[in-house]
């Protein structure tokens, strides 16, 4: 009887560990595995606001611009991602400027940075033009 209980407990523990590992992997893939994507800054610059931390408390001397981008990856996949540009001497993106970033399913992992239009793949450029 002890052996059966030990085997059942071991199998339950093993299945819990496997389930947890799968969940961690899915979270990591959605949050941090990124691909190069392109977009264009909106023609209207967002309002400059005081930066707030996660609790809603104002961070003294820091200002933010809230953006919502529709990125297009090299394979044509569209990803909608919000992005906060913040800092002490932060400047907004130039209206209509082309941007490049490393984007996961849920966030901008690296960037965005300005890029010249001729550096963007033509198939992606067509889709970016349709977003406007």
């Amino acid at each position: 009887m002890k052996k059966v209980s030990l085997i059942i407990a071991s199998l339950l523990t093993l299945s819990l560990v496997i389930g947890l590992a799968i969940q961690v992997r899915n979270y990591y893939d959605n949050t941090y595995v990124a691909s190069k994507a392109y977009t264009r800054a909106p023609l209207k610059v967002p309002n400059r606001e005081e930066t707030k931390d996660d609790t809603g408390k104002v961070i003294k001397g820091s200002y933010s611009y809230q953006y919502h981008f529709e990125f297009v990856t090299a394979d044509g996949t569209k990803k909608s991602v919000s992005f906060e540009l913040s800092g002490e001497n932060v400047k907004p993106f130039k209206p209509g400027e082309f941007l490049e970033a490393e984007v996961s399913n849920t966030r901008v992992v690296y960037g965005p940075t300005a890029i010249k239009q001729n550096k963007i793949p033509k198939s992606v450029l067509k889709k970016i033009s349709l977003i406007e």
Side-chain angles (χ1 to χ4, degrees):
M1 190 67 172
K2 257 186 168 179
K3 277 188 176 181
V4 172
S5 296
L6 187 60
I7 290 172
I8 291 173
S10 298
L11 289 175
L12 286 174
T13 302
L14 181 62
S15 56
L16 284 173
V17 168
I18 290 171
L20 181 62
I22 290 170
Q23 290 299 321
V24 168
R25 178 62 188 219
N26 287 338
Y27 174 80
Y28 180 83
D29 286 346
N30 280 323
T31 307
Y32 299 108
V33 175
S35 57
K36 193 173 285 190
Y38 307 90
T39 192
R40 197 168 193 180
L43 298 176
K44 183 179 182 285
V45 176
N47 295 330
R48 181 179 175 203
E49 302 170 352
E50 290 182 310
T51 304
K52 296 179 181 173
D53 64 13
D54 292 339
T55 63
K57 184 180 174 186
V58 173
I59 300 173
K60 217 177 228 183
S62 183
Y63 296 94
S64 300
Y65 294 93
Q66 299 290 334
Y67 286 95
H68 184 76
F69 293 121
E70 184 81 24
F71 284 99
V72 180
T73 62
D75 67 2
T77 305
K78 291 183 181 179
K79 295 181 179 185
S80 295
V81 181
S82 294
F83 180 76
E84 179 179 1
L85 183 62
S86 60
E88 285 185 24
N89 298 315
V90 68
K91 291 185 170 66
F93 296 114
K94 294 177 186 168
E97 170 177 55
F98 288 98
L99 304 169
E100 173 184 56
E102 293 287 327
V103 180
S104 72
N105 290 334
T106 58
R107 67 176 62 174
V108 175
V109 177
Y110 179 78
T113 57
I115 186 172
K116 293 185 179 182
Q117 183 176 351
N118 63 357
K119 300 283 184 185
I120 300 173
K122 292 194 187 317
S123 60
V124 173
L125 193 57
K126 288 178 186 176
K127 291 189 178 191
I128 291 173
S129 298
L130 295 175
I131 292 173
E132 297 177 64

